[in-house]
Amino acid sequence: MDPYDIFSIANAKQFEKMALKVFRHQYENTIVYREFCDLLGVDKTAVKSLEAIPFLPIQFFKSRTIVSNSQPPEITFTSSGTTGMQTSKHVVTDIQLYIQSFRSAFATFYGNIEDYTILALLPSYLEREGSSLIYMVADLIEGSQNENSGFYLHNYDELIQKLKALDASGQNTLLIGVTYALLDLIEKETFQLKNTIIMETGGMKGRRKEMIREELHQLLRAGFGVPTIHSEYGMTELLSQAYSFGEGIFECPPWMHVLMRDPEDPLRYVADGKNGGINVIDLANYNACSFIATQDLGKKHSSNAFEVLGRFDHSDIRGCNLMVI
């Protein structure tokens, strides 16, 4: 199949049909994934539903190269981590697939990128190489075609003035930031924003104590003077993102889906509304592995919406959207 066909998915039936095609492709071509499936005793021909597809534990991205073809890497994304922590590595052999994924997802949820000024407060990501988040936001900044769009590192005073001026002018503005930096910003200045979306990407990076989402969003709402806080759910090992418009309920683009596995039995699933481990199907990950068992704990709502509740114990704290209970 042509991997770009995923962007034409219009309903759940089409998604399942395409996901099963991707499973068969990756079973045949992603060596690590096939080895994992074989160890589970999975019969490829017996996999006829989403629930029957094996999900590769995300930790494999730390120790193995996960790729489904022999094409040379166009870019390699790496996860953040504290000193001595083993980080994930995502080899990408078709960067255009990632670009189309994040551009299409943004357009699906937020409309035309040219309608926004994009301000990015992502210091911990800017200060290292290989961040897929920085790659995405840099492209969105360029796509906005707005001279006021840009990255901010530690120049908070400049950002404060820019944010106030843009909001007062009526310009639709999106401020996307790592959690601890957004908190640092509202400690320097409080706002009453009317035309600005605040989007947090998660992560304290050891700079602040972890807090539950309700507490965090309450602080951010009060500090920025906005009714809701948006969120982005993404990670190094994936090439798609889910977005929340508030209350921590994430929605997936049509080529992404989540299932909640039983915390006690990873090969079984829990009903909607029950807590479980988040399994992600990301069909944009066609050239690696689209079926990832994350270390995040969540709860699925109706349709394809889900909530992130925290992390399983004894798992490394990763930088993207980790709100530890």
Side-chain angles (χ1 to χ4, degrees), residues 2-76:
D2 183 339
Y4 289 85
D5 289 346
I6 66 171
F7 301 115
S8 65
I9 291 173
N11 54 54
K13 186 175 181 179
Q14 287 182 358
F15 179 89
E16 183 169 52
K17 182 177 180 181
M18 206 160 291
L20 290 170
K21 286 183 179 180
V22 173
F23 162 71
R24 290 189 288 271
H25 166 76
Q26 292 177 345
Y27 178 86
E28 294 294 340
N29 296 283
T30 304
I31 295 172
V32 176
Y33 183 55
R34 183 172 69 247
E35 290 175 350
F36 175 72
C37 292
D38 289 347
L39 282 171
L40 292 178
V42 172
D43 178 1
K44 179 186 71 171
T45 61
V47 175
K48 297 180 179 179
S49 68
L50 297 182
E51 291 77 12
I53 295 173
F55 284 77
L56 185 72
I58 200 166
Q59 297 95 314
F60 277 92
F61 280 86
K62 293 183 177 181
S63 59
R64 304 287 296 274
T65 298
I66 315 295
V67 66
S68 71
N69 58 48
S70 58
Q71 298 300 314
E74 294 187 354
I75 193 168
T76 298

Side-chain angles (χ1 to χ4, degrees), residues 248-268:
I249 308 299
F250 290 91
E251 295 183 36
C252 298
W255 54 93
M256 181 181 179
H257 190 83
V258 296
L259 298 170
M260 298 295 162
R261 67 182 184 273
D262 188 328
E264 304 298 327
D265 182 355
L267 301 181
R268 297 183 59 185

Side-chain angles (χ1 to χ4, degrees), residues 149-316:
S149 294
F151 285 100
Y152 289 81
L153 192 53
H154 302 297
N155 45 339
Y156 284 170
D157 291 338
E158 183 183 347
L159 175 57
I160 288 167
Q161 296 307 314
K162 177 76 73 174
L163 196 54
K164 286 186 172 182
L166 287 169
D167 192 80
S169 73
Q171 169 66 45
N172 291 330
T173 302
L174 169 63
L175 172 62
I176 181 169
V178 65
T179 302
Y180 78 83
L182 292 175
L183 291 170
D184 288 348
L185 185 64
I186 60 175
E187 284 185 355
K188 290 182 67 70
E189 185 79 17
T190 55
F191 302 84
Q192 288 296 322
L193 301 173
K194 306 297 184 186
N195 301 293
T196 302
I197 294 169
I198 306 298
M199 180 184 292
E200 53 91 8
T201 68
M204 291 300 190
K205 299 288 186 182
R207 312 289 180 98
R208 290 172 173 265
K209 72 176 182 69
E210 297 288 340
M211 62 181 72
I212 61 172
R213 176 187 52 78
E214 289 84 354
E215 179 186 3
L216 169 65
H217 283 204
Q218 183 178 5
L219 286 173
L220 293 176
R221 285 196 303 268
F224 286 106
V226 294
T228 59
I229 300 297
H230 294 221
S231 304
E232 180 259 359
Y233 181 83
M235 57 190 71
T236 301
E237 300 84 355
L238 303 177
L239 292 184
S240 296
Q241 304 78 33
Y243 290 99
S244 167
F245 301 114
E247 306 305 322
I249 308 299
F250 290 91
E251 295 183 36
C252 298
W255 54 93
M256 181 181 179
H257 190 83
V258 296
L259 298 170
M260 298 295 162
R261 67 182 184 273
D262 188 328
E264 304 298 327
D265 182 355
L267 301 181
R268 297 183 59 185
Y269 294 94
V270 299
D272 290 358
K274 301 289 186 180
N275 294 357
I278 298 177
N279 283 0
V280 178
I281 302 175
D282 174 15
L283 298 185
N285 236 4
Y286 182 85
N287 295 308
C289 181
S290 292
F291 312 99
I292 305 297
T294 77
Q295 293 175 320
D296 294 333
L297 182 69
K299 179 166 59 177
K300 190 172 179 183
H301 294 261
S302 59
S303 184
N304 201 19
F306 67 101
E307 187 175 354
V308 181
L309 301 175
R311 299 276 285 169
F312 283 100
D313 291 338
H314 312 303
S315 59
D316 296 336

Side-chain angles (χ1 to χ4, degrees), residues 110-183:
Y110 291 98
N112 191 340
I113 185 65
E114 294 180 17
D115 293 338
Y116 294 88
T117 298
I118 309 293
L119 305 178
L121 183 59
L122 301 165
S124 50
Y125 295 93
L126 274 177
E127 293 168 315
R128 68 177 184 85
E129 296 291 326
S131 167
S132 57
L133 178 62
I134 292 296
Y135 190 99
M136 176 182 79
V137 175
D139 185 87
L140 295 177
I141 287 172
E142 183 178 358
S144 72
Q145 298 184 28
N146 189 308
E147 62 181 5
N148 290 305
S149 294
F151 285 100
Y152 289 81
L153 192 53
H154 302 297
N155 45 339
Y156 284 170
D157 291 338
E158 183 183 347
L159 175 57
I160 288 167
Q161 296 307 314
K162 177 76 73 174
L163 196 54
K164 286 186 172 182
L166 287 169
D167 192 80
S169 73
Q171 169 66 45
N172 291 330
T173 302
L174 169 63
L175 172 62
I176 181 169
V178 65
T179 302
Y180 78 83
L182 292 175
L183 291 170

